[in-house]
Amino acid sequence: MRFCHNFFGHLKTILHHKNLVRHYCFKAGLYKQGIMHDWSKYNPVEFFVGVKYYQDGKRSPNFGEKEDHAYSSAWLHHKGRNRHHFEYWIDYGLDPSKGLVGMPMPTRYVIELFCDRIAASKNYNRDTYDDSYPLKYYMKNRDHYVIHPDTKALVEKLLNMLADEGEKKTFEYIRREIDWKHSRKW
């Protein structure tokens, strides 16, 4: 019985998240990314870990797996296949003394990351969400991120704009001011 509860609960959470991301990607003009977002979540490597560690839609199952194993196989699989996660863009830099560094993300994936942060915040805070939640979540861990300075600047600009000016103005800015089709940078 618990398996069925977790299976359908996890599936419902994924579908809700994907629908939200699609909505926001479409608002930004990223139609293909809105449709293709997070398809790897249906891969058995990710999906059945999500079922096993389902958190009743209140937080990511990856945290439950990390509590048991000190890592999440689902997350490692996910971030390696989804370019909208800045973790996908971590590599060794040209200067070996710097170790792992964040590579610049193409702007289209930064916008998808932004849409993903809104959707995740809405998904896990359904009753209490406001436009400051994605920024608050980002700021909690910002000092530990390995992220390229240009990517960081754009993500923070959009999250702050969302918190200060709201969804409508932020997506108007994205559509009007950001050339994600022809540029890696903003």
Side-chain angles (χ1 to χ4, degrees):
M1 193 64 165
R2 187 75 183 150
F3 177 82
C4 285
H5 168 78
N6 286 10
F7 183 93
F8 289 109
H10 182 57
L11 182 60
K12 182 179 175 185
T13 301
I14 290 172
L15 291 171
H16 186 252
H17 174 73
K18 284 181 59 58
N19 284 335
L20 287 170
V21 173
R22 184 179 60 246
H23 169 75
Y24 289 115
C25 281
F26 282 19
K27 281 179 88 167
L30 296 170
Y31 303 107
K32 182 179 177 185
Q33 285 172 252
I35 292 167
M36 303 296 291
H37 180 82
D38 276 357
W39 276 19
S40 72
K41 286 188 178 192
Y42 299 111
N43 185 298
V45 171
E46 293 182 37
F47 187 79
F48 288 109
V49 168
V51 170
K52 180 177 181 180
Y53 292 100
Y54 178 62
Q55 308 280 311
D56 286 324
K58 298 197 180 0
R59 70 179 190 151
S60 170
N62 297 339
F63 291 115
E65 187 184 19
K66 285 179 187 179
E67 289 167 350
D68 273 2
H69 302 291
Y71 70 93
S72 171
S73 60
W75 170 244
L76 292 172
H77 186 272
H78 186 75
K79 69 153 179 114
R81 284 154 183 80
N82 292 279
R83 295 177 183 182
H84 66 277
H85 291 289
F86 64 84
E87 295 89 346
Y88 177 96
W89 299 93
I90 296 173
D91 199 355
Y92 289 99
L94 294 174
D95 179 354
S97 69
K98 296 195 187 224
L100 292 170
V101 296
M103 299 291 132
M105 286 176 68
T107 305
R108 67 182 329 109
Y109 296 116
V110 179
I111 304 298
E112 185 181 356
L113 179 151
F114 171 71
C115 295
D116 185 54
R117 288 293 85 220
I118 297 171
S121 294
K122 282 190 172 188
N123 213 16
Y124 294 125
N125 302 285
R126 291 182 190 207
D127 298 330
T128 59
Y129 174 85
D130 68 52
D131 286 337
S132 69
Y133 272 49
L135 176 63
K136 288 176 188 172
Y137 180 82
Y138 173 87
M139 295 302 284
K140 268 193 322 191
N141 299 302
R142 178 178 82 165
D143 294 339
H144 306 291
Y145 293 151
V146 178
I147 187 170
H148 190 274
D150 292 344
T151 302
K152 180 179 181 180
L154 180 53
V155 168
E156 290 181 9
K157 178 182 182 88
L158 294 175
L159 291 173
N160 277 295
M161 186 180 289
L162 176 69
D164 296 340
E165 299 181 43
E167 214 174 89
K168 183 178 181 193
K169 285 195 176 188
T170 305
F171 280 96
E172 285 173 1
Y173 173 81
I174 290 169
R175 297 280 304 227
R176 189 179 61 249
E177 302 295 330
I178 298 179
D179 182 13
W180 51 263
K181 293 177 184 172
H182 301 102
S183 174
R184 293 192 67 153
K185 306 218 182 225
W186 51 280

